[in-house]
Amino acid sequence: IGILHYAMFHFYESLVYLAHYEKMSAAQKRAALKRVAKNQKILKKWAKYAPMNFLSKITLIEAELNRIHREYDKAGMLYDKAIFLAKEQGFVSEDAIANELAAKLWIQQDKNEFASLYVTRAYKLYEIWGAKAKTFALLDEYRQYIVFREFSSQSSQSQTYAMDIETIMDAAKTI
């Protein structure tokens, strides 16, 4: 258990540095990138022995690095890959975080339909994870993007359409 906590520390430390990167001074940015690179090196070393546990983390950090360097297309592809890898391993928390960060990217790019899909998915995953405070925070910040569906009150045609959208998004993420 100790090693797992150590690994999670490197992952979350990198996410925190990258989340605050834009607000840092030039010296702080250099130090943050150096620390993130060190963390990635550690995670990649461990991924050699347990890729199923670390590839989604490494990929999500890579997506964030591309975002801060304004490589938005590459960042988008890496978010999707991180989502796929987290989902494949059943890492609901990482899946939720990756979806939320992807949503922020698309909001930043004024691609609100994409943002809505990702933030809605993040909201649902945080609910599944049991992170109630996080769901409230998402509602406060992104309410206009979150889509709530009540399948019981919809016609069967609407239900089919809604399920088809989910299928298309899952397929797109796989590609």
Side-chain angles (χ1 to χ4, degrees), residues 52-69:
M52 71 292 280
N53 290 332
F54 296 102
L55 288 181
S56 59
K57 294 168 184 56
I58 292 166
T59 306
L60 184 53
I61 299 299
E62 291 295 327
E64 282 287 274
L65 284 166
N66 278 276
R67 179 191 58 78
I68 66 166
H69 292 302

Side-chain angles (χ1 to χ4, degrees), residues 84 87 121 165-175:
F84 173 79
K87 186 177 191 176
R121 189 173 183 106
I165 293 292
E166 288 291 323
T167 304
I168 290 167
M169 285 308 298
D170 287 341
K173 287 177 183 175
T174 303
I175 294 171

Side-chain angles (χ1 to χ4, degrees), residues 2-17:
I3 293 174
L4 177 60
H5 291 316
Y6 187 63
M8 296 306 288
F9 170 80
H10 291 292
F11 171 62
Y12 285 113
E13 181 185 41
S14 293
L15 287 179
V16 169
Y17 276 125

Side-chain angles (χ1 to χ4, degrees), residues 6-135:
Y6 187 63
M8 296 306 288
F9 170 80
H10 291 292
F11 171 62
Y12 285 113
E13 181 185 41
S14 293
L15 287 179
V16 169
Y17 276 125
L18 295 170
H20 295 285
Y21 185 82
E22 299 299 326
K23 300 172 192 162
M24 295 178 178
S25 68
Q28 290 172 321
K29 286 179 179 182
R30 283 190 301 277
L33 289 177
K34 187 175 179 180
R35 185 62 189 200
V36 169
K38 182 179 178 183
N39 288 342
Q40 283 293 81
K41 184 177 179 182
I42 291 167
L43 292 172
K44 286 177 181 178
K45 180 180 175 184
W46 291 338
K48 290 178 186 176
Y49 304 101
M52 71 292 280
N53 290 332
F54 296 102
L55 288 181
S56 59
K57 294 168 184 56
I58 292 166
T59 306
L60 184 53
I61 299 299
E62 291 295 327
E64 282 287 274
L65 284 166
N66 278 276
R67 179 191 58 78
I68 66 166
H69 292 302
R70 293 178 171 71
E71 297 289 334
Y72 301 124
D73 290 337
K74 188 170 182 185
M77 289 187 295
L78 288 167
Y79 285 124
D80 286 342
K81 184 177 178 184
I83 290 165
F84 173 79
L85 292 167
K87 186 177 191 176
E88 186 176 57
Q89 294 305 319
F91 297 150
V92 176
S93 58
E94 288 177 32
D95 193 355
I97 293 166
N99 273 280
E100 180 183 1
L101 293 174
K104 288 180 180 185
L105 171 76
W106 296 123
I107 290 167
Q108 182 181 9
Q109 297 300 302
D110 291 324
K111 295 188 178 183
N112 294 337
E113 289 182 19
F114 288 143
S116 179
L117 292 168
Y118 286 97
V119 79
T120 299
R121 189 173 183 106
Y123 179 86
K124 290 176 183 177
L125 288 163
Y126 283 126
E127 272 189 328
I128 291 167
W129 187 25
K132 293 199 182 296
K134 189 62 181 174
T135 60

